[in-house]
Amino acid sequence: MRIIYLATKDLKQILQQKKSALFLLIMPLLFTWLMGIIFNQNENHDPRLPVGLVVLDDGVLGPHLRTLLNDSDTIRPLTPDQTDTAFIEEQVHSRLLAAVVVVPNGFSAMALDGTMPQLEVIVDRNTPAGQAADRSIQLASTRLLGAVQVARLSAAAAGHSESDAAWQAFVLSALDEAIQAWLNPRAKVVVRPAGIAASAPKGGTQASSGMMVFFATVGMITPGYILLSERHSRTLARMMTTSMTRAEVIAGHVLAMFIVCLVQVVLLTIFGQFIIGVHYWHAPGLTLLMASALAFWSASFGLLISSLARDENQVVLLVLGSTLVFGLLGGTFFPLELTNQSFATIGHMMPSAWAVDGLQDIVLRGSGLISILPTVGILLFYSTAACGAAILLLRRSLKN
Amino acid sequence: MTNEIAIHIKDLHKSYNGFTAVQSLNFTVRKGEIFSLLGPNGAGKSTTISMLSCLLAPTSGDALLLGHSISKTPRAVKEVIGVVPQEIAVYDDLSARQNLIFWGRMYGLKGKQLARRVDEVLDLVALTDRQHDRAGHYSGGMQRRLNIGIALLHEPQIVIMDEPTVGIDPQSRRKILDGVKELNARGVTVLYTTHYMEEAQELSHRIAIMDHGRIIGEGTHSELIRIVGGLIRISLTLRQSPGNLIEMWRALASVHSVSEENGAISLLVKDSTSILPVVFESTARAGISVTGMDVQEPDLEAVFLHLTGKALRD
């Protein structure tokens, strides 16, 4: 019971501090909103690699190829301003275009006659963008020529010979259907975790979860002050002259920090749900579990900072300094998926990366309890380590 | 006061990083007694208090408070003591009442008992009128009183006070000293540390003088004074040369010694009441004017000087 009284006293003091509203609510809401706007603006931009498409052929396959290229997740076809080779090569060299596909004159006629014509592809295969574009162009080209082959075989199966007047009409019609089949396959394997948040804006999800994790630790500035002032005013030492145990005293302070952070995270998830449109509360149990793990990590972090700091300036410096490191490396400002493997690996040494992952797993990937538990376990590990270090420092502080 | 022992300290020793803060401390405090530890800053008083409050573990030795060992049963010790720390350990951003309620709960009080004790303590430390003001807005003296009040909430049998009057005005000091006496009158045993000899002299049944982590003298005030022989110093400043007065005074039976330094004459006497008329009569007869006079009763300062060779306030 005394743990609760101690936590209640801390909460009362935290709420009396003017800085609390700023660090715990105003700044997180403002930054989530701003980051949401920035990320959503980027979402309107087509992120696919630009690929030039030069059609020198006047047959039917040029438009079909454009359709298939446009269907790619990786590349988007553009028509270059000029079609001369030097200009096109310069565009690729200067990386304004990831590649250029040239459909040579007579390409459609040759394909429909049953010969296998070649597309001309100008690409720098030494670059990752060039390699990705090349693969997507090869895929579209294979699908196009496959569709031509299917159309020709269908015509033969229907009893038409190439000399028939109806053959060409049949082949063109079958070609249309084959192309449509590629665009809208009846059976499709989607390699994407089922999640309801497919409809949620990805930018909003990153901004909301990232800022939530970022400000969960920034919010420890005020609780950090409270414990620091207890050390300085010797009220902490005085508490140790009552029959409360050291564990009870630490638990009381951690509980207050935990409650502050949990309330903050819950408010931010409500803001995320209703203002940003991120569906945190489709799985309330899991969201609460992740919020609790995040709050426990933040409380332990706050305890560690207030045990380390010698004055109020050091609390601010240590909280903001370490939170920036956690934030920049741990993917609270940008998704670690956009970074290379080494950066992502280093990033995942930060507890913040796991917290963001956990929240996004629930929202974006619809993960269940079993999938979330390892993330929760890792956050608990970090929390326990921080708590342990803080207890050692506090013991030393009480002896002085 | 009874003959039962409230605090029994046995060979208590504390050293950190090669520095010995307290060495081989031995003393007992009887129930209902005010026992003062008197000594300059750095004498080891606060370290002793920290060990008795179970904040610091002794390097060796032990202390029993109402039979509970600080090493073996610290929790039981904490339940029978109230500690007034040297620092004002209160929450500035809470009112006196909120502070007392919080600390009362930390001492395990609740409900009506808590409310009653908060009211009683507010009354005892004379803060009832300002109970709803933030402690941070109080004067130093009021904060000191609140600091003391907190330690009394759970009605401890032993109150340990570590220099509770440091840095406050004389009026507040008077209130605190009176409060300590009142507390003691209710049967509470008080262990009091101070470097003000006047406080130790006024409050204490017995005093232990500490220096460099050791007790160098212990006893009642008069027992300690006897260490320096109980001589009273009379200092005289004369307008004219004393002539043969010094020899005449030396011959008096109750005069221990007479010395002259830089024009000031000092007489060490056993009884100032009988000798002062003789001194004035002899100077008047010799036609010498007395321009200044000071009578110094033997005090703890003199005892400390005698025992350590340095002044208490050095």
Side-chain angles (χ1 to χ4, degrees):
Chain A
M1 200 60 191
R2 285 191 285 188
I3 293 171
I4 293 169
Y5 292 139
L6 176 55
T8 311
K9 187 273 301 170
D10 277 7
L11 289 173
K12 197 180 284 178
Q13 287 181 295
I14 291 166
L15 291 177
Q16 280 178 357
Q17 297 248 351
K18 286 177 187 160
K19 298 181 193 101
S20 301
L22 181 71
F23 289 126
L24 293 172
L25 216 56
I26 297 168
M27 278 173 65
L29 292 179
L30 192 67
F31 273 74
T32 305
W33 179 67
L34 281 174
M35 295 292 276
I37 290 174
I38 293 166
F39 277 103
N40 279 329
Q41 274 175 350
N42 284 337
E43 269 186 0
N44 297 331
H45 171 71
D46 190 341
R48 295 178 301 168
L49 298 168
V51 167
L53 178 61
V54 178
V55 182
L56 302 174
D57 177 47
D58 55 359
V60 296
L61 295 188
H64 283 312
L65 180 62
R66 183 180 296 278
T67 306
L68 288 169
L69 288 172
N70 200 37
D71 189 47
S72 166
D73 288 335
T74 311
I75 57 174
R76 58 190 161 100
L78 298 171
T79 304
D81 297 336
Q82 297 173 39
T83 55
D84 63 281
T85 313
F87 176 78
I88 290 167
E89 283 183 352
E90 176 54 31
Q91 293 274 295
V92 174
H93 181 68
S94 58
R95 300 190 183 178
L96 290 171
L97 295 173
V100 173
V101 187
V102 180
V103 182
N105 193 13
F107 180 85
S108 300
M110 287 173 73
L112 292 171
D113 283 351
T115 52
M116 290 303 236
Q118 288 290 313
L119 290 171
E120 191 182 341
V121 179
I122 301 162
V123 65
D124 179 1
R125 290 198 175 93
N126 292 321
T127 63
Q131 290 167 10
D134 189 35
R135 278 196 298 272
S136 297
I137 292 166
Q138 296 301 335
L139 180 67
S141 160
T142 306
R143 284 180 174 179
L144 179 69
L145 295 175
V148 170
Q149 201 59 25
V150 167
R152 283 173 53 81
L153 290 171
S154 301
H160 296 291
S161 73
E162 290 188 30
S163 55
D164 289 351
W167 183 87
Q168 189 161 11
F170 187 92
V171 165
L172 291 179
S173 166
L175 179 63
D176 279 345
E177 285 188 38
I179 296 289
Q180 283 304 313
W182 278 122
L183 298 176
N184 303 299
R186 290 195 178 175
K188 193 173 182 179
V189 177
V190 180
V191 187
R192 171 174 70 80
I196 59 100
S199 61
K202 286 179 187 169
T205 307
Q206 172 62 32
S208 174
S209 56
M211 289 300 97
M212 194 182 299
V213 171
F214 183 76
F215 279 100
T217 41
V218 171
M220 286 300 108
I221 287 178
T222 325
Y225 283 156
I226 304 293
L227 185 52
L228 178 77
S229 69
E230 290 224 339
R231 278 173 51 209
H232 283 183
S233 69
R234 305 290 289 172
T235 43
L236 186 64
R238 175 168 222 163
M239 216 168 288
M240 300 311 302
T241 69
T242 71
S243 56
M244 276 189 94
T245 62
R246 190 176 284 127
E248 283 175 312
V249 172
I250 288 169
H253 288 302
V254 170
L255 179 63
M257 293 185 190
F258 175 82
I259 291 170
V260 166
C261 186
L262 188 64
V263 170
Q264 182 198 37
V265 170
V266 168
L267 286 176
L268 288 179
T269 56
I270 292 170
F271 179 78
Q273 175 95 19
F274 293 106
I275 308 297
I276 311 283
V278 185
H279 300 282
Y280 285 111
W281 294 100
H282 81 279
L286 291 179
T287 301
L288 266 180
L289 179 66
M290 264 313 298
S292 304
L294 174 59
F296 186 43
W297 152 245
S298 294
S300 310
F301 169 77
L303 187 73
L304 181 59
I305 294 294
S306 50
S307 315
L308 273 172
R310 290 183 183 165
D311 55 46
E312 287 197 357
N313 290 336
Q314 278 197 3
V315 171
V316 177
L317 219 69
L318 287 169
V319 168
L320 291 183
S322 39
T323 302
L324 274 174
V325 173
F326 292 152
L328 289 170
L329 294 179
T332 61
F333 296 113
F334 49 84
L336 286 180
E337 289 81 357
L338 294 182
T339 64
N340 63 34
Q341 186 61 39
S342 310
F343 192 96
T345 306
I346 293 169
H348 275 93
M349 291 175 183
M350 306 290 128
S352 48
W354 293 97
V356 172
D357 277 359
L359 288 166
Q360 293 187 353
D361 279 347
I362 296 168
V363 173
L364 282 176
R365 297 159 200 130
S367 301
L369 179 64
I370 300 297
S371 309
I372 294 297
L373 280 180
T375 307
V376 171
I378 287 166
L379 282 176
L380 287 182
F381 167 76
Y382 278 112
S383 309
T384 311
C387 257
I391 289 167
L392 287 178
L393 288 166
L394 282 174
R395 282 178 70 141
R396 195 185 299 168
S397 149
L398 284 170
K399 281 180 183 171
N400 294 329
Chain B
M1 190 165 41
T2 68
N3 282 327
E4 286 179 72
I5 301 299
I7 302 172
H8 186 188
I9 293 179
K10 301 183 287 188
D11 275 331
L12 206 59
H13 190 94
K14 181 70 190 178
S15 50
Y16 357 43
N17 307 326
F19 170 73
T20 303
V22 170
Q23 47 186 320
S24 305
L25 214 60
N26 285 285
F27 65 86
T28 55
V29 180
R30 289 191 289 270
K31 277 187 185 176
E33 190 175 28
I34 299 180
F35 187 94
S36 287
L37 287 176
L38 174 70
N41 292 329
K45 306 186 299 291
S46 292
T47 305
T48 306
I49 294 291
S50 292
M51 285 190 282
L52 297 181
S53 310
C54 307
L55 278 177
L56 274 183
T59 308
S60 63
D62 199 358
L64 302 176
L65 284 87
L66 296 178
H68 306 295
S69 157
I70 57 167
S71 307
K72 294 176 190 131
T73 52
R75 197 162 181 161
V77 171
K78 289 175 181 182
E79 278 171 5
V80 297
I81 62 169
V83 179
V84 180
Q86 193 176 98
E87 303 82 7
I88 299 174
V90 304
Y91 295 107
D92 284 352
D93 45 359
L94 302 183
S95 69
R97 187 168 196 89
Q98 286 171 329
N99 262 291
L100 290 171
I101 289 173
F102 170 74
W103 286 107
R105 283 172 171 161
M106 293 301 103
Y107 283 120
L109 303 178
K110 49 190 156 187
K112 286 180 183 170
Q113 188 196 15
L114 173 64
R116 178 182 60 82
R117 282 302 296 156
V118 167
D119 288 336
E120 285 173 1
V121 168
L122 279 169
D123 187 46
L124 186 73
V125 296
L127 286 175
T128 307
D129 293 344
R130 299 281 304 274
Q131 61 177 297
H132 297 297
D133 293 353
R134 280 188 177 194
H137 296 165
Y138 288 169
S139 67
M142 291 164 79
Q143 287 180 336
R144 283 269 166 212
R145 270 145 47 206
L146 178 60
N147 198 35
I148 293 170
I150 288 168
L152 309 178
L153 278 162
H154 57 304
E155 300 181 272
Q157 296 171 66
I158 298 173
V159 173
I160 299 172
M161 297 178 151
D162 191 7
E163 310 221 18
T165 59
V166 168
I168 55 169
D169 58 281
Q171 197 183 356
S172 295
R173 173 176 292 176
R174 173 50 38 213
K175 278 188 182 169
I176 288 173
L177 297 183
D178 290 345
V180 174
K181 286 180 198 168
E182 190 183 331
L183 199 66
N184 180 247
R186 296 180 188 185
V188 176
T189 306
V190 180
L191 178 62
Y192 191 96
T193 79
T194 182
H195 60 267
Y196 298 125
M197 58 176 183
E198 308 84 358
E199 286 183 8
Q201 187 173 329
E202 178 183 340
L203 288 176
S204 319
H205 296 105
R206 284 189 307 132
I207 300 161
I209 299 176
M210 274 190 92
D211 192 38
H212 295 304
R214 283 190 294 192
I215 288 181
I216 53 173
E218 184 193 335
T220 61
H221 178 250
S222 44
E223 283 169 347
L224 287 169
I225 293 302
R226 275 203 289 275
I227 294 175
V228 285
L231 296 174
I232 298 164
R233 181 184 296 270
I234 301 172
S235 302
L236 291 172
T237 314
L238 306 178
R239 191 180 298 277
Q240 298 87 6
S241 167
N244 62 356
L245 282 179
I246 290 179
E247 288 310 314
M248 196 190 96
W249 290 336
R250 274 187 186 139
L252 295 172
S254 60
V255 173
H256 185 265
S257 66
V258 183
S259 61
E260 184 185 8
E261 194 176 346
N262 300 329
I265 299 161
S266 290
L267 293 86
L268 280 178
V269 302
K270 284 181 180 163
D271 177 15
S272 60
T273 322
S274 60
I275 205 74
L276 276 173
V278 178
V279 168
F280 282 117
E281 192 186 331
S282 54
T283 51
R285 199 178 300 150
I288 294 170
S289 309
V290 178
T291 54
M293 191 195 70
D294 183 34
V295 179
Q296 288 177 291
E297 292 282 336
D299 59 15
L300 294 171
E301 179 79 49
V303 177
F304 192 81
L305 186 65
H306 176 82
L307 292 173
T308 65
K310 63 182 181 187
L312 185 58
R313 295 180 207 284
D314 284 351

